[in-house]
Amino acid sequence: MIRFEHVTKRYPDGTNAVNDLSFEAAEGELVTLVGPSGCGKTTTLKMVNRLIEPTAGRIEVDGADIMAADPVQLRRHIGYCIQNVGLFPHKTVLDNTATVPHLLGWPREKRLKRAAELLDLVGLDPEEHGRRYPDRLSGGQRQRVGVARALAADPPVLLMDEPFGAVDPVVREHLQNEFLKLQARMRKTVLFVTHDIEEAVRLGDRIAVFGDGRIEQFDSPAAVLGAP
Ligand code: ADP
Ligand code: ADP
């Protein structure tokens, strides 16, 4: 569960990125945050794993106030996946996927086994693709590695910032469908940022429609589509 209570973020230069934001994603729920560029979606997401600290208000993850949590523990609990996934170019896809287990000190054999399972989960062949370096994959394949990496330590919470934004529409739709199937099995608590209303509607159990640092509507896809 992720809960925002009256959260405000003002950057040091005075920009009010997020104003008095209150909403929640229930356990196992996928909430999409949608809206035009600059309306505060990424700021909202990055506050959950404390990449950005709120100026005011309270954020809870699975019942705990994040400001009272150890950031390292918090980030073990939360998978994070961004556009242009930022894979390490000098590491194989398998090693990239095993980044978090590596940081957690898992033995090599255990983390590579886990990485192979995850690549399989996102539709990549651990033997064929796992041994390659990221520059030998297509954009869509790299995004899959990004998703696999975010899932590596099996975190109950996932933050995704336009994870499929950098690929062409056909590949994007494919990745969306695969992700939906995966989520039906995993039931993670997910915040998913997108500027694409179609993507928000296709993926979200509920949709938070952002405008200028606020949520203008928070409802089911059907209700959002039905709105005037
Ligand atoms: P979105 O993800 O919806 O595109 P952001 O959360 O990135 O929106 O940005 C919200 C607002 O905060 C924008 O006006 C943006 O320019 C501003 N902003 C984002 N990061 C910073 C920062 N580090 N310092 C100052 N302003 C920022
Ligand atoms: P994107 O739109 O791909 O999310 P941006 O270009 O908005 O990326 O932001 C890139 C980086 O610059 C982010 O870390 C963001 O926090 C920061 N940033 C965005 N707007 C501002 C701003 N007005 N002042 C300072 N930093 C900003």
Side-chain angles (χ1 to χ4, degrees), residues 163-191:
F164 311 140
V167 295
D168 72 60
V170 175
V171 175
R172 185 181 314 145
E173 192 173 329
H174 191 63
L175 290 173
Q176 288 167 349
N177 290 335
E178 301 266 298
F179 184 69
L180 274 181
K181 280 190 222 158
L182 203 56
Q183 170 62 4
R185 279 192 283 154
M186 302 184 303
R187 286 275 146 221
K188 307 280 185 194
T189 306
V190 186
L191 294 186

mmCIF file of all heavy atoms in Angstrom, residues 163-191:
data_model
loop_
_atom_site.group_PDB
_atom_site.id
_atom_site.type_symbol
_atom_site.label_atom_id
_atom_site.label_comp_id
_atom_site.label_asym_id
_atom_site.label_seq_id
_atom_site.Cartn_x
_atom_site.Cartn_y
_atom_site.Cartn_z
ATOM 1 N N PRO A 163 8.179 3.533 -18.425
ATOM 2 C CA PRO A 163 9.137 2.471 -18.760
ATOM 3 C C PRO A 163 9.083 2.072 -20.235
ATOM 4 O O PRO A 163 10.071 1.576 -20.764
ATOM 5 C CB PRO A 163 8.714 1.303 -17.861
ATOM 6 C CG PRO A 163 7.273 1.556 -17.573
ATOM 7 C CD PRO A 163 7.134 3.051 -17.500
ATOM 8 N N PHE A 164 7.945 2.308 -20.886
ATOM 9 C CA PHE A 164 7.810 1.890 -22.291
ATOM 10 C C PHE A 164 7.765 3.094 -23.220
ATOM 11 O O PHE A 164 7.319 3.003 -24.363
ATOM 12 C CB PHE A 164 6.547 1.029 -22.476
ATOM 13 C CG PHE A 164 6.417 -0.084 -21.464
ATOM 14 C CD1 PHE A 164 5.189 -0.399 -20.924
ATOM 15 C CD2 PHE A 164 7.536 -0.809 -21.060
ATOM 16 C CE1 PHE A 164 5.065 -1.429 -19.990
ATOM 17 C CE2 PHE A 164 7.424 -1.837 -20.127
ATOM 18 C CZ PHE A 164 6.180 -2.143 -19.591
ATOM 19 N N GLY A 165 8.244 4.239 -22.732
ATOM 20 C CA GLY A 165 8.110 5.477 -23.492
ATOM 21 C C GLY A 165 9.041 5.587 -24.681
ATOM 22 O O GLY A 165 8.778 6.335 -25.605
ATOM 23 N N ALA A 166 10.137 4.826 -24.659
ATOM 24 C CA ALA A 166 11.179 5.028 -25.674
ATOM 25 C C ALA A 166 11.091 4.049 -26.842
ATOM 26 O O ALA A 166 11.980 4.023 -27.681
ATOM 27 C CB ALA A 166 12.553 4.935 -25.014
ATOM 28 N N VAL A 167 10.033 3.245 -26.900
ATOM 29 C CA VAL A 167 9.947 2.247 -27.976
ATOM 30 C C VAL A 167 8.781 2.568 -28.902
ATOM 31 O O VAL A 167 7.890 3.344 -28.558
ATOM 32 C CB VAL A 167 9.798 0.815 -27.402
ATOM 33 C CG1 VAL A 167 11.052 0.430 -26.640
ATOM 34 C CG2 VAL A 167 8.579 0.701 -26.509
ATOM 35 N N ASP A 168 8.801 1.966 -30.091
ATOM 36 C CA ASP A 168 7.760 2.312 -31.064
ATOM 37 C C ASP A 168 6.403 1.732 -30.622
ATOM 38 O O ASP A 168 6.351 0.842 -29.783
ATOM 39 C CB ASP A 168 8.170 1.883 -32.474
ATOM 40 C CG ASP A 168 8.129 0.379 -32.649
ATOM 41 O OD1 ASP A 168 7.046 -0.216 -32.482
ATOM 42 O OD2 ASP A 168 9.187 -0.195 -32.945
ATOM 43 N N PRO A 169 5.306 2.271 -31.178
ATOM 44 C CA PRO A 169 3.964 1.935 -30.670
ATOM 45 C C PRO A 169 3.639 0.433 -30.680
ATOM 46 O O PRO A 169 2.977 -0.036 -29.757
ATOM 47 C CB PRO A 169 3.029 2.689 -31.621
ATOM 48 C CG PRO A 169 3.841 3.827 -32.125
ATOM 49 C CD PRO A 169 5.254 3.343 -32.185
ATOM 50 N N VAL A 170 4.091 -0.278 -31.679
ATOM 51 C CA VAL A 170 3.768 -1.711 -31.748
ATOM 52 C C VAL A 170 4.461 -2.465 -30.613
ATOM 53 O O VAL A 170 3.847 -3.268 -29.910
ATOM 54 C CB VAL A 170 4.177 -2.299 -33.125
ATOM 55 C CG1 VAL A 170 3.957 -3.804 -33.144
ATOM 56 C CG2 VAL A 170 3.391 -1.626 -34.230
ATOM 57 N N VAL A 171 5.737 -2.167 -30.427
ATOM 58 C CA VAL A 171 6.486 -2.803 -29.340
ATOM 59 C C VAL A 171 5.898 -2.388 -27.995
ATOM 60 O O VAL A 171 5.763 -3.194 -27.076
ATOM 61 C CB VAL A 171 7.990 -2.426 -29.416
ATOM 62 C CG1 VAL A 171 8.753 -2.985 -28.220
ATOM 63 C CG2 VAL A 171 8.598 -2.931 -30.717
ATOM 64 N N ARG A 172 5.523 -1.122 -27.896
ATOM 65 C CA ARG A 172 4.974 -0.625 -26.632
ATOM 66 C C ARG A 172 3.716 -1.398 -26.247
ATOM 67 O O ARG A 172 3.553 -1.825 -25.118
ATOM 68 C CB ARG A 172 4.639 0.867 -26.742
ATOM 69 C CG ARG A 172 4.176 1.462 -25.415
ATOM 70 C CD ARG A 172 3.826 2.934 -25.535
ATOM 71 N NE ARG A 172 4.847 3.646 -26.272
ATOM 72 C CZ ARG A 172 4.625 4.661 -27.085
ATOM 73 N NH1 ARG A 172 3.398 5.109 -27.268
ATOM 74 N NH2 ARG A 172 5.610 5.247 -27.720
ATOM 75 N N GLU A 173 2.836 -1.602 -27.233
ATOM 76 C CA GLU A 173 1.588 -2.305 -26.939
ATOM 77 C C GLU A 173 1.884 -3.746 -26.491
ATOM 78 O O GLU A 173 1.249 -4.266 -25.575
ATOM 79 C CB GLU A 173 0.680 -2.299 -28.163
ATOM 80 C CG GLU A 173 -0.715 -2.757 -27.821
ATOM 81 C CD GLU A 173 -1.704 -2.615 -28.964
ATOM 82 O OE1 GLU A 173 -1.542 -1.681 -29.779
ATOM 83 O OE2 GLU A 173 -2.620 -3.441 -29.035
ATOM 84 N N HIS A 174 2.879 -4.339 -27.143
ATOM 85 C CA HIS A 174 3.284 -5.691 -26.768
ATOM 86 C C HIS A 174 3.803 -5.717 -25.324
ATOM 87 O O HIS A 174 3.395 -6.563 -24.523
ATOM 88 C CB HIS A 174 4.358 -6.168 -27.746
ATOM 89 C CG HIS A 174 4.659 -7.616 -27.638
ATOM 90 N ND1 HIS A 174 3.724 -8.592 -27.908
ATOM 91 C CD2 HIS A 174 5.778 -8.254 -27.252
ATOM 92 C CE1 HIS A 174 4.275 -9.778 -27.705
ATOM 93 N NE2 HIS A 174 5.530 -9.608 -27.304
ATOM 94 N N LEU A 175 4.662 -4.773 -24.995
ATOM 95 C CA LEU A 175 5.219 -4.710 -23.634
ATOM 96 C C LEU A 175 4.113 -4.455 -22.604
ATOM 97 O O LEU A 175 4.110 -5.036 -21.517
ATOM 98 C CB LEU A 175 6.280 -3.608 -23.539
ATOM 99 C CG LEU A 175 7.592 -3.863 -24.295
ATOM 100 C CD1 LEU A 175 8.477 -2.624 -24.242
ATOM 101 C CD2 LEU A 175 8.343 -5.060 -23.742
ATOM 102 N N GLN A 176 3.170 -3.594 -22.967
ATOM 103 C CA GLN A 176 2.052 -3.317 -22.052
ATOM 104 C C GLN A 176 1.265 -4.587 -21.764
ATOM 105 O O GLN A 176 0.943 -4.886 -20.609
ATOM 106 C CB GLN A 176 1.110 -2.276 -22.668
ATOM 107 C CG GLN A 176 1.672 -0.868 -22.695
ATOM 108 C CD GLN A 176 0.850 0.060 -23.578
ATOM 109 O OE1 GLN A 176 -0.024 -0.373 -24.330
ATOM 110 N NE2 GLN A 176 1.141 1.349 -23.488
ATOM 111 N N ASN A 177 0.956 -5.337 -22.823
ATOM 112 C CA ASN A 177 0.169 -6.560 -22.640
ATOM 113 C C ASN A 177 0.919 -7.585 -21.805
ATOM 114 O O ASN A 177 0.334 -8.227 -20.927
ATOM 115 C CB ASN A 177 -0.213 -7.155 -23.999
ATOM 116 C CG ASN A 177 -1.245 -6.291 -24.707
ATOM 117 O OD1 ASN A 177 -2.006 -5.557 -24.060
ATOM 118 N ND2 ASN A 177 -1.266 -6.355 -26.022
ATOM 119 N N GLU A 178 2.221 -7.701 -22.059
ATOM 120 C CA GLU A 178 3.023 -8.645 -21.286
ATOM 121 C C GLU A 178 3.075 -8.210 -19.817
ATOM 122 O O GLU A 178 2.997 -9.034 -18.914
ATOM 123 C CB GLU A 178 4.450 -8.689 -21.820
ATOM 124 C CG GLU A 178 4.533 -9.100 -23.260
ATOM 125 C CD GLU A 178 4.756 -10.582 -23.404
ATOM 126 O OE1 GLU A 178 5.795 -11.052 -22.933
ATOM 127 O OE2 GLU A 178 3.872 -11.244 -23.975
ATOM 128 N N PHE A 179 3.208 -6.909 -19.624
ATOM 129 C CA PHE A 179 3.281 -6.417 -18.252
ATOM 130 C C PHE A 179 1.965 -6.664 -17.511
ATOM 131 O O PHE A 179 1.962 -7.035 -16.335
ATOM 132 C CB PHE A 179 3.662 -4.933 -18.200
ATOM 133 C CG PHE A 179 3.827 -4.440 -16.799
ATOM 134 C CD1 PHE A 179 4.894 -4.873 -16.019
ATOM 135 C CD2 PHE A 179 2.897 -3.603 -16.224
ATOM 136 C CE1 PHE A 179 5.035 -4.459 -14.705
ATOM 137 C CE2 PHE A 179 3.034 -3.176 -14.908
ATOM 138 C CZ PHE A 179 4.104 -3.613 -14.148
ATOM 139 N N LEU A 180 0.845 -6.494 -18.219
ATOM 140 C CA LEU A 180 -0.463 -6.758 -17.601
ATOM 141 C C LEU A 180 -0.579 -8.212 -17.166
ATOM 142 O O LEU A 180 -1.082 -8.508 -16.082
ATOM 143 C CB LEU A 180 -1.581 -6.432 -18.589
ATOM 144 C CG LEU A 180 -2.045 -4.982 -18.621
ATOM 145 C CD1 LEU A 180 -3.174 -4.842 -19.639
ATOM 146 C CD2 LEU A 180 -2.529 -4.524 -17.245
ATOM 147 N N LYS A 181 -0.112 -9.114 -18.011
ATOM 148 C CA LYS A 181 -0.166 -10.546 -17.669
ATOM 149 C C LYS A 181 0.688 -10.823 -16.434
ATOM 150 O O LYS A 181 0.288 -11.556 -15.527
ATOM 151 C CB LYS A 181 0.353 -11.393 -18.835
ATOM 152 C CG LYS A 181 -0.663 -11.611 -19.928
ATOM 153 C CD LYS A 181 -0.135 -12.654 -20.905
ATOM 154 C CE LYS A 181 -0.439 -12.222 -22.326
ATOM 155 N NZ LYS A 181 0.438 -12.851 -23.320
ATOM 156 N N LEU A 182 1.859 -10.213 -16.443
ATOM 157 C CA LEU A 182 2.789 -10.390 -15.322
ATOM 158 C C LEU A 182 2.146 -9.849 -14.029
ATOM 159 O O LEU A 182 2.158 -10.508 -12.989
ATOM 160 C CB LEU A 182 4.053 -9.604 -15.654
ATOM 161 C CG LEU A 182 5.370 -9.976 -15.010
ATOM 162 C CD1 LEU A 182 5.697 -11.430 -15.276
ATOM 163 C CD2 LEU A 182 6.477 -9.078 -15.592
ATOM 164 N N GLN A 183 1.567 -8.670 -14.120
ATOM 165 C CA GLN A 183 0.969 -8.036 -12.950
ATOM 166 C C GLN A 183 -0.228 -8.846 -12.431
ATOM 167 O O GLN A 183 -0.457 -8.897 -11.223
ATOM 168 C CB GLN A 183 0.575 -6.587 -13.279
ATOM 169 C CG GLN A 183 -0.261 -5.862 -12.241
ATOM 170 C CD GLN A 183 0.439 -5.687 -10.888
ATOM 171 O OE1 GLN A 183 1.606 -6.055 -10.718
ATOM 172 N NE2 GLN A 183 -0.284 -5.154 -9.919
ATOM 173 N N ALA A 184 -0.949 -9.500 -13.336
ATOM 174 C CA ALA A 184 -2.083 -10.337 -12.909
ATOM 175 C C ALA A 184 -1.598 -11.460 -12.002
ATOM 176 O O ALA A 184 -2.302 -11.892 -11.096
ATOM 177 C CB ALA A 184 -2.805 -10.901 -14.132
ATOM 178 N N ARG A 185 -0.377 -11.921 -12.243
ATOM 179 C CA ARG A 185 0.196 -12.976 -11.396
ATOM 180 C C ARG A 185 0.895 -12.415 -10.168
ATOM 181 O O ARG A 185 0.812 -12.952 -9.080
ATOM 182 C CB ARG A 185 1.223 -13.781 -12.206
ATOM 183 C CG ARG A 185 0.588 -14.821 -13.096
ATOM 184 C CD ARG A 185 1.655 -15.755 -13.623
ATOM 185 N NE ARG A 185 2.410 -15.129 -14.707
ATOM 186 C CZ ARG A 185 3.658 -15.449 -15.026
ATOM 187 N NH1 ARG A 185 4.308 -16.357 -14.332
ATOM 188 N NH2 ARG A 185 4.260 -14.858 -16.030
ATOM 189 N N MET A 186 1.619 -11.282 -10.356
ATOM 190 C CA MET A 186 2.470 -10.775 -9.268
ATOM 191 C C MET A 186 1.682 -10.008 -8.226
ATOM 192 O O MET A 186 2.006 -10.032 -7.065
ATOM 193 C CB MET A 186 3.525 -9.809 -9.816
ATOM 194 C CG MET A 186 4.443 -10.357 -10.862
ATOM 195 S SD MET A 186 5.723 -9.123 -11.325
ATOM 196 C CE MET A 186 4.729 -7.715 -11.838
ATOM 197 N N ARG A 187 0.703 -9.238 -8.707
ATOM 198 C CA ARG A 187 -0.083 -8.391 -7.811
ATOM 199 C C ARG A 187 0.796 -7.489 -6.946
ATOM 200 O O ARG A 187 0.661 -7.450 -5.718
ATOM 201 C CB ARG A 187 -1.026 -9.233 -6.954
ATOM 202 C CG ARG A 187 -2.194 -9.764 -7.744
ATOM 203 C CD ARG A 187 -3.304 -8.740 -7.793
ATOM 204 N NE ARG A 187 -4.056 -8.766 -9.049
ATOM 205 C CZ ARG A 187 -4.457 -7.658 -9.682
ATOM 206 N NH1 ARG A 187 -4.155 -6.478 -9.232
ATOM 207 N NH2 ARG A 187 -5.155 -7.735 -10.785
ATOM 208 N N LYS A 188 1.721 -6.775 -7.590
ATOM 209 C CA LYS A 188 2.515 -5.771 -6.881
ATOM 210 C C LYS A 188 1.655 -4.523 -6.682
ATOM 211 O O LYS A 188 0.689 -4.297 -7.413
ATOM 212 C CB LYS A 188 3.740 -5.374 -7.713
ATOM 213 C CG LYS A 188 4.606 -6.520 -8.178
ATOM 214 C CD LYS A 188 5.517 -7.010 -7.107
ATOM 215 C CE LYS A 188 6.457 -8.078 -7.644
ATOM 216 N NZ LYS A 188 7.118 -8.799 -6.545
ATOM 217 N N THR A 189 2.047 -3.720 -5.739
ATOM 218 C CA THR A 189 1.465 -2.386 -5.615
ATOM 219 C C THR A 189 2.302 -1.478 -6.515
ATOM 220 O O THR A 189 3.503 -1.331 -6.295
ATOM 221 C CB THR A 189 1.521 -1.901 -4.158
ATOM 222 O OG1 THR A 189 0.914 -2.890 -3.332
ATOM 223 C CG2 THR A 189 0.807 -0.568 -4.003
ATOM 224 N N VAL A 190 1.670 -0.910 -7.551
ATOM 225 C CA VAL A 190 2.439 -0.223 -8.595
ATOM 226 C C VAL A 190 1.966 1.216 -8.784
ATOM 227 O O VAL A 190 0.765 1.465 -8.896
ATOM 228 C CB VAL A 190 2.291 -0.951 -9.962
ATOM 229 C CG1 VAL A 190 3.220 -0.323 -11.004
ATOM 230 C CG2 VAL A 190 2.556 -2.442 -9.846
ATOM 231 N N LEU A 191 2.914 2.141 -8.838
ATOM 232 C CA LEU A 191 2.646 3.472 -9.387
ATOM 233 C C LEU A 191 3.348 3.541 -10.732
ATOM 234 O O LEU A 191 4.549 3.271 -10.830
ATOM 235 C CB LEU A 191 3.177 4.589 -8.475
ATOM 236 C CG LEU A 191 2.529 4.750 -7.100
ATOM 237 C CD1 LEU A 191 3.084 6.003 -6.419
ATOM 238 C CD2 LEU A 191 1.012 4.816 -7.192
#
